[in-house]
Structures are given as C-alpha cells and as structure tokens.
Amino acid sequence: MTFPTRGYAAQSATTPLAPFQFERRAPRPDDVVIDILYCGVCHSDIHQARNEWHGSMYPMVPGHEIVGRVSAVGSAVTKFKAGDTVGVGCMVDSCQHCASCNTGLEQYCEQGATWTYNDKDRQDGSLTFGGYSERIVVSDKFVVSISDKLDLKAAAPLLCAGITTWSPLRHWNIGKGSKIAVIGLGGLGHMGLKFAKAMGADVTLFTRSPGKEEEARRLGADHVVLSTDAQQMAAVARQFEFILDTVPSPHDLNPYLDTLAINGVICLVGLLEPLEPAVQTAKVILGRRSISGSAIGGIGETQEMLDFCAEHGIVSDIEVIDMKDINAAYERVVKSDVRYRFVIDMASLKAA
Ligand code: NAP
Ligand code: ZN
C-alpha cells in the first residue's frame, strides 16, 4: 500500500513553492519508512527549484537535510526499527557495485547516484521527491543513525552542509597544526568553521560581509579577513595549506590563490558553473598549488561525521521556520541573510 503524502513543490522554475499531494511507494524489502521531523534548507534547493543548474524536473519537492523517526521497515531490514531516529541526505540510491560504490564513495557512483529529489528512482523510474514533506521511503543503505543526544532540528543540516564540509577537511587531513581558511559564512561555511576548529586547525574566514566578524569568531574562526579589502588580503599572502570555497556563484579565484602556501589546495564545493574571471595559471604553477573540488560525502563517512558530532556536541546554528514560509526563506538565503541555516519544522506542514 502506498502512502498519501503532503509536501511543498515547485511546479516550474518561476513559480513559488506551494502545497502538493503525492504518493510515497509501498516499502520494498530493503526500505525504511521515515516520518520527517525536520528538513534543512540548502542553497542547492534554490538552485534546483529555479533550474539554475539546468535539467530540473517538475513537480519538484526539494529537501535533502532530513531528520525523522522510522515508522516502519521492509521485510529484509535489520539495521533499523520503528522509533529509531534517522537521517537522509542528498542520495537515496546508487549502483552499489562500481569502484566508487565499493569504496564508500557512493556520491561518485560511476552510473550516477540517485539524488534525493529531482532524479529518477533506479527501479521504477518515478521522480524522487525530497524532504519538504511528511514522510520519505528510502533504501536502508542510504539511511544513517542520529543520536538523540543531538538537538534534532539543529542536526538536520549536518546531512548536507555538514558532510559537504567534513569530507574535504578529512580527505586533505586537516588537523592540529593545519592553517586553513573557509570562504563564505553561510550554511556550509559555518559548518566548515566548526569542524576545522574541532579538528584542531587554525581557522580563517574570508567574508564579503563586514558584519559577520563577531559571529565568525563565536563559530570557530581564529581570524577574519574581509575579502573586499585588498590590504587585508595582502596581509594573508602565502598563508594557507587549504582553503574551502563555499561561494555559490561565479567569482574571482585569483585573489584567493595568492593566499595559498606553496603546495596549497583550494577546494571548490559551492560552484557548479565555469569560474569567472579565468584563473591566472601562473598563480597555480609558481607555487605548485592545486584547484580541486568535492561533492557531499559517502554514506559511511556521513555516519562517521554524525558520530563525531554526537561526541563533540556539534550541530548547526539554525532558524526554524514553518513550511508555509519557505518562499520568504529562499529570498533571505539568496541575500546571505540567514544565521546560518533555515530548518523547516515539519509539524507545521501537518498542522496546516
Ligand atoms: P549560503 O548559505 O547561501 O552561503 C553562501 C555564502 O557564500 C554566503 O553566506 C556568503 O558569505 C557567500 N557568498 C554568497 N554569494 C557570494 C558571491 N557572489 N561572492 C562571494 N561570496 C558570496 O549557501 P550554502 O547552502 O552554504 O551553499 C553554498 C553553495 O554550496 C551553494 O552553491 C550550494 O548549491 C553548494 N553546495 C554544494 C555541495 C557539494 O556537495 N559540493 C553541497 C551542498 C551545497 P559571506 O556573506 O560570508 O561572504
Ligand atoms: Zn545541500
């Protein structure tokens, strides 16, 4: 039996999100049925709802920072039971047998991972619908456990903003003695500060926003550099072994390349379009610097990050909203006016 489910959907790139009724599938043997408690609002939701990355499919129910409680499980599920607190992030399936999947890098599945929304289910071809909804049905391999020690609403953004910043910091072995920087203090950026600090690094924030300095220090920054101030930029030339760039739109990478140490790495996580203006290759060559990128993180790594957060009491700084206020929240994210992640309380959808 399928589940009639209420959610919020975009019907086109230019229409606001509005109430939408659809069916969740009857559980397959490996499925977990989850009542959604909270869902974070990622800048990617806006890019996709508005077709800024092209290829958007409608109706689209966004949302990939999902925390909820298991209400039922399929016949073959042993890892989860009704009542468990769980999370779902950006992926709900992958091929499960390519070299990437076999090494815990499902996000780089050679056949393409199945995304939580705006994608097609691998088995029945139906559109996937995300977390701006009452419930979701997901294969157990793509469900992670969440400790009830954590404030659950503030844990929701860990499922995307958290893992997207955790994974590159771990991959590039950031730890005690590392000198790193984060560009942009938004949903991803504020988690980057928290994780890098917890890993023991000396952390700098690059921001365009003069008003964010005090907050940045509270969130873990040891230093704050106003990226629009050439003098402040010059003062940190050749400083950083690693920079995590969370900026969501085309921007000039060249001033940041000057702040990388020899062998330094800048890792792009925010941008899915060509860089503009072009990179001055001399800045990379004369310093053996690298420009790289990273997408979310694998399922095992996501669980590792959540366990670290439970142990260290790390969650996101959030502003809770009602489902009906989602369109106003999108406008505020676009204006960088969010401290630092909106999270939808799904009880507000049920009450509506
Ligand atoms: P967000 O909350 O809007 O934060 C982005 C921050 O970047 C802003 O707060 C702002 O910080 C800075 N910024 C914004 N526009 C800028 C511009 N034009 N030039 C320079 N800085 C700018 O967004 P988010 O949710 O953190 O997501 C960031 C990006 O990562 C989005 O594009 C999202 O789609 C992408 N993303 C990627 C992955 C992945 O797997 N790679 C996963 C999730 C999200 P300041 O005010 O401090 O300057
Ligand atoms: Zn996201």
Side-chain angles (χ1 to χ4, degrees):
M1 217 179 54
T2 57
F3 301 96
T5 299
R6 284 172 297 178
Y8 259 56
Q11 295 290 346
S12 80
T14 52
T15 45
L17 270 64
F20 174 64
Q21 175 92 26
F22 61 102
E23 297 288 320
R24 290 291 188 190
R25 66 173 179 255
R28 299 166 184 153
D30 65 334
D31 271 340
V32 179
V33 185
I34 301 164
D35 284 337
I36 299 176
L37 296 170
Y38 301 104
C39 185
V41 177
C42 181
H43 205 124
S44 306
D45 299 347
I46 303 172
H47 291 308
Q48 304 235 63
R50 297 180 176 177
N51 198 22
E52 290 168 2
W53 289 343
H54 314 292
S56 287
M57 296 179 275
Y58 302 95
M60 183 192 301
V61 178
H64 57 208
E65 294 185 337
I66 300 167
V67 168
R69 286 237 161 71
V70 175
S71 62
V73 295
S75 56
V77 176
T78 53
K79 214 172 123 196
F80 300 101
K81 58 178 190 320
D84 287 354
T85 307
V86 295
V88 176
C90 301
M91 300 178 279
V92 289
D93 206 357
S94 70
C95 84
Q96 300 287 315
H97 54 69
C98 72
S100 296
C101 289
N102 281 339
T103 47
L105 297 170
E106 298 89 349
Q107 75 275 33
Y108 305 124
C109 173
E110 288 169 16
Q111 296 181 10
T114 304
W115 307 113
T116 302
Y117 65 85
N118 195 35
D119 207 348
K120 289 196 172 149
D121 181 82
R122 296 182 110 76
Q123 295 187 40
D124 63 20
S126 63
L127 270 185
T128 57
F129 290 134
Y132 298 2
S133 59
E134 291 175 281
R135 73 175 63 74
I136 190 164
V137 180
V138 180
S139 165
D140 59 353
K141 291 174 207 68
F142 288 81
V143 177
V144 286
S145 297
I146 297 189
S147 165
D148 283 305
K149 275 199 263 176
L150 292 173
D151 176 1
L152 296 182
K153 51 189 182 304
L158 299 175
L159 277 304
C160 175
I163 186 60
T164 301
T165 50
W166 169 270
S167 181
L169 290 170
R170 294 284 292 175
H171 179 74
W172 275 280
N173 295 313
I174 302 311
K176 217 170 158 45
S178 305
K179 201 164 161 69
I180 77 118
V182 172
I183 310 178
L185 186 56
L188 268 56
H190 94 290
M191 290 312 304
L193 295 184
K194 288 187 186 211
F195 283 144
K197 191 72 202 161
M199 290 168 183
D202 181 83
V203 189
T204 295
L205 172 74
F206 286 114
T207 177
R208 306 166 303 169
S209 308
K212 289 183 177 174
E213 177 155 1
E214 201 178 308
E215 287 275 284
R217 290 184 191 279
R218 180 179 63 77
L219 293 163
D222 299 291
H223 321 274
V224 179
V225 174
L226 200 57
S227 54
T228 50
D229 181 329
Q231 257 184 335
Q232 290 191 33
M233 291 297 283
V236 290
R238 293 180 295 281
Q239 295 265 313
F240 304 110
E241 66 181 74
F242 183 78
I243 299 177
L244 186 66
D245 181 343
T246 75
V247 175
S249 42
H251 56 288
D252 190 358
L253 216 55
N254 295 298
Y256 299 107
L257 293 175
D258 290 330
T259 73
L260 281 176
I262 307 306
N263 298 324
V265 175
I266 186 163
C267 177
L268 299 164
V269 291
L271 188 64
L272 275 185
E273 299 151 77
L275 275 168
E276 220 187 289
V279 166
Q280 291 169 31
T281 54
K283 292 181 188 294
V284 186
I285 293 168
L286 302 174
R288 199 162 59 189
R289 296 166 171 138
S290 306
I291 300 170
S292 66
S294 182
I296 50 170
I299 296 299
E301 197 179 19
T302 303
Q303 189 63 62
E304 179 190 286
M305 178 268 312
L306 288 166
D307 295 346
F308 180 92
C309 288
E311 194 182 318
H312 292 81
I314 294 175
V315 286
S316 291
D317 284 43
I318 60 161
E319 199 176 315
V320 177
I321 58 167
D322 286 353
M323 187 71 254
K324 67 175 174 32
D325 297 325
I326 187 66
N327 295 299
Y330 274 16
E331 291 312 317
R332 283 186 53 196
V333 172
V334 170
K335 285 189 284 186
S336 300
D337 175 25
V338 48
R339 305 279 156 107
Y340 285 89
R341 200 57 140 188
F342 288 115
V343 172
I344 305 159
D345 181 351
M346 224 43 77
S348 68
L349 174 64
K350 290 175 187 150

